[in-house]
Amino acid sequence: MQQVPATAQMEQVFVEPWGFPHKRLGKHRLPPFLSANAVSSMKATWQPRNGNRYIVLPQGFTALDANIDVFVALAERKQIERVAKEECAQPDFSPLKQIPIPSRFLQRVLEMRVSQPGIEMPATGPMGHSCFLSKLPPELHPAAISQKLPESSSKLILDEKVAVICADPRYLIMKELAMLPTLSAFMGRKLKDEECKNFFRASLEHSLDVQNMVAWGRLEQERPHQVRLFFAEDFVLEPETAFRGLARFLGFEHAETLPTLLQQLPDICSRGLFNNCNGPEMKVIEGLTGTFEHELAKLPFDIQASWQDQISNLKTLPNQRLATLGHLVAKHGQWELPRWWIAHSALLCKPCTFATRGLCRNGDLCGFCHAPDHHRSNRPSKKERQRRDRRRQAMARTPSPPGLSS
């Protein structure tokens, strides 16, 4: 029996267990029109470069319903209007001709670039920065492992940053499920109800978003200068704080384009950052989360147990925000985390000195950060500070003239 070459095996298209055509790279899933062989070899073929900025998106986020322009503009230090006008020659690739994704996004998607090498490079920003989008896990993402410059260079570390967008995995699964019929229609195929049910069950047992969050969360601890996790809910609830945190991580907190971008946020967010909506976007997220819990309760116990097993991996991560999210999801709770988590994730928080000693009486209503990874302050208590002040004043007091002392 003649063996199939390894490269041909890699390009094999599967349907199960997700219920729709896809290619596989280990546990990762790729659309059938991408080259799995090219993506798998990207670690060796991609050229790392100072100034590259990478945004890792969840599986269900696409340019069809997510306002990606604002993230690209921030990562390349451009005005949003300039990014929106950028276009390149549309790839001559038949599966994509039916999908109305602007070429400015296609040319920035890593998986697309290596699958279609003829795609033009996006225009760099005024300081030479380029933004690339991806949904790859760390083991396939070139920036996560490409750290050394050519041997002729004296520098060892590249100025490359990876911002990973995370969110409640229940919302992410339902968002991707809601997107599938639209994408299937663009591909000339109607998705059946049974296929949607198969996708939901498969996601409970093999959620790519949960696996990616776990992998990126571990890498963040190893390389905090290069990898940072951000949360979609933060950008929805407090966009200015979240985008300031992202700008700070990318090294652009003093960029001349940042004030203009922050002024445009209210109008942008009114249309939805990650979901097309006319009302509060958080209501959309909460609605999809509630639908997930409703559908989960209908399934057999063994499938529910598989979901709990996946979520348990979040609870053990060093990233306290992800660990807290894991406990919340395991208890079937809604996203009602204290607002100080948003500033904490953006590294813009002010720790509560009382909380680190277990003395804060305000709890979740406190205006200062209670995140558990803050170290206990060595600052003396107010009474001790006052006692020391009195002692210093007594020692510094001018002595009375002779004969006038009591």
Side-chain angles (χ1 to χ4, degrees), residues 137-289:
E139 62 267 22
L140 295 174
H141 198 289
I145 46 85
S146 299
Q147 280 296 294
K148 291 187 178 181
L149 288 168
E151 295 181 1
S152 59
S153 174
S154 60
K155 295 182 179 180
L156 293 178
I157 303 298
L158 286 173
D159 176 28
E160 290 195 320
K161 306 279 188 179
V162 183
V164 184
I165 307 299
C166 304
D168 189 319
R170 300 169 296 182
Y171 154 65
L172 295 179
I173 288 176
M174 298 310 295
K175 179 173 172 58
E176 186 177 9
L177 178 59
M179 177 194 70
L180 289 180
T182 301
L183 291 182
S184 296
F186 286 136
M187 302 291 289
R189 181 175 178 273
K190 185 177 180 180
L191 202 65
K192 301 177 181 178
D193 290 342
E194 189 61 32
E195 292 174 320
C196 292
K197 294 179 181 179
N198 290 339
F199 171 83
F200 184 69
R201 294 190 178 205
S203 297
L204 296 178
E205 298 177 313
H206 312 285
S207 172
L208 295 184
D209 284 316
V210 172
Q211 294 169 12
N212 284 359
M213 283 192 284
V214 170
W216 283 111
R218 290 171 178 162
L219 191 61
E220 179 190 45
Q221 185 186 33
E222 297 175 13
R223 303 178 185 178
H225 66 284
Q226 185 194 13
V227 178
R228 177 76 55 77
L229 271 57
F230 295 87
F231 293 81
E233 290 87 350
D234 294 355
F235 290 99
V236 172
L237 291 170
E238 292 189 15
E240 181 172 341
T241 300
F243 275 104
R244 283 189 183 277
L246 178 58
R248 183 178 183 179
F249 168 67
L250 296 176
F252 304 151
E253 59 183 320
H254 302 299
E256 63 283 354
T257 56
L258 182 58
T260 302
L261 184 146
L262 295 178
Q263 291 176 1
Q264 295 173 309
L265 282 179
D267 179 60
I268 295 171
C269 295
S270 67
R271 303 189 300 271
L273 271 175
F274 307 110
N275 309 272
N276 288 326
C277 57
N278 296 321
E281 188 169 6
M282 199 61 199
K283 292 293 184 182
V284 177
I285 296 175
E286 292 171 350
L288 290 175
T289 302

Side-chain angles (χ1 to χ4, degrees), residues 88-99:
C88 69
Q90 196 77 6
D92 187 19
F93 194 39
S94 56
L96 294 178
K97 292 181 178 179
Q98 303 301 321
I99 304 178

Side-chain angles (χ1 to χ4, degrees), residues 46-54 76 121-125 127-132 143 146 148-150 158-161:
W46 183 258
Q47 295 297 320
R49 187 182 66 87
N50 277 315
N52 280 351
R53 298 293 184 260
Y54 302 92
E76 295 183 348
M121 284 290 290
T124 60
M127 303 299 292
H129 297 94
S130 296
C131 177
F132 296 98
S146 299
K148 291 187 178 181
L149 288 168
L158 286 173
D159 176 28
E160 290 195 320
K161 306 279 188 179

Side-chain angles (χ1 to χ4, degrees), residues 335-355:
W335 184 279
E336 295 178 351
L337 297 181
R339 287 297 181 93
W340 41 256
W341 268 119
I342 299 177
H344 181 77
S345 296
L347 296 187
L348 298 173
C349 65
K350 295 181 179 179
C352 176
T353 57
F354 295 100

